[in-house]
Amino acid sequence: ETHSTTISLDRAAELRVGGTPAPVPEDPPLPDVDYALVALVAGLPSEVVGSVAGHSSSRGRVGPVGQVDFDTLHRRQGERGRRGERVAFEVERRRLIGRGLDPNLVTWVSQTYETAPYDLESVDEDGQRIFIEVKSTSMSDPGTPFEISQAELLMAAAERSRYYIYRVTDVDTDAPQVTTYQDPIGHVESHAAELRLSGARLSFNVDGRGSTD
């Protein structure tokens, strides 16, 4: 899971030194998470009208000014993504403990397999296996759009009610919040979520050509 980062135009201008990316100043250390303040709540479905959760399209916006040190930004995104996964992992373990289940049933899959189409594996109240994809943001609104991969979508479509999105908001603070969404494909079908394509690739299987008659 990767965490998206937005740079203001003024801040991007500060990063520009001629045509060479300027070093990005180090962020201050993030605070330790106080799990007594972390809440795990179920996302309530509501019909999407217009854009996702009231978020407008980015069409017409101007991108960052000048050169940006993307290597450093991507590193930060990775750090925040891993922080969100750790929060979700710990909160999921606590959820199982609260229901009298073994917390060791929670596996942090993406810690070993980074390209897996989900981050955590756990069980529901009936002991059935579930798959959890963690999406983290420094924003407070769980409705903020996020990127989802083809592999994640295919897994969500195959597993349906056993596939969850754990949306970790305020990930940079000591009290992130985790909003859960079961069966994201079902949310799209019921118009409680909107899936937008920022790009697409089409290929045809030419090995089994049929007759054109």
Side-chain angles (χ1 to χ4, degrees):
E1 192 276 335
T2 57
H3 168 78
S4 60
T5 300
T6 302
I7 305 177
S8 68
L9 296 182
D10 291 341
R11 185 71 193 96
E14 293 175 7
L15 301 177
R16 181 184 60 201
V17 178
T20 304
V24 178
E26 287 297 321
D27 280 341
L30 296 177
D32 292 337
V33 175
D34 183 350
Y35 285 97
L37 302 176
V38 178
L40 179 69
V41 298
L44 299 177
S46 59
E47 186 168 346
V48 174
V49 179
S51 58
V52 176
H55 295 275
S56 60
S57 169
S58 61
R59 181 178 298 177
R61 293 181 184 174
V62 179
V65 176
Q67 299 293 313
V68 175
D69 186 348
F70 286 106
D71 288 340
T72 299
L73 293 176
H74 289 159
R75 175 179 59 78
R76 289 182 182 174
Q77 291 171 10
E79 290 172 353
R80 286 171 170 82
R82 286 188 294 274
R83 179 180 173 88
E85 290 176 15
R86 178 171 295 281
V87 168
F89 175 73
E90 295 295 341
V91 167
E92 182 64 11
R93 285 175 56 86
R94 291 167 185 251
R95 184 185 72 82
L96 264 58
I97 291 173
R99 286 160 174 74
L101 299 172
D102 183 0
N104 292 322
L105 292 173
V106 184
T107 305
W108 190 346
V109 176
S110 61
Q111 195 173 38
T112 304
Y113 304 100
E114 293 187 3
T115 59
Y118 56 96
D119 295 309
L120 308 177
E121 189 173 310
S122 185
V123 296
D124 60 17
E125 285 75 4
D126 297 325
Q128 298 298 309
R129 185 167 60 166
I130 63 172
F131 308 94
I132 300 167
E133 174 61 24
V134 181
K135 299 296 184 182
S136 304
T137 178
S138 59
M139 307 293 285
S140 298
D141 181 3
T144 302
F146 56 85
E147 292 186 0
I148 186 167
S149 71
Q150 177 185 7
E152 292 161 2
L153 282 173
L154 290 174
M155 184 77 175
E159 298 298 338
R160 296 303 300 255
S161 63
R162 297 202 301 162
Y163 195 93
Y164 289 74
I165 297 291
Y166 275 26
R167 190 72 164 121
V168 182
T169 51
D170 295 320
V171 71
D172 290 348
T173 72
D174 65 345
Q177 303 299 296
V178 184
T179 306
T180 68
Y181 296 93
Q182 182 182 16
D183 187 12
I185 299 299
H187 278 69
V188 173
E189 291 176 343
S190 65
H191 307 291
E194 186 177 44
L195 185 63
R196 293 185 175 183
L197 297 180
S198 59
R201 299 180 66 183
L202 175 67
S203 62
F204 293 99
N205 180 2
V206 298
D207 293 335
R209 289 194 188 95
S211 171
T212 58
D213 296 340

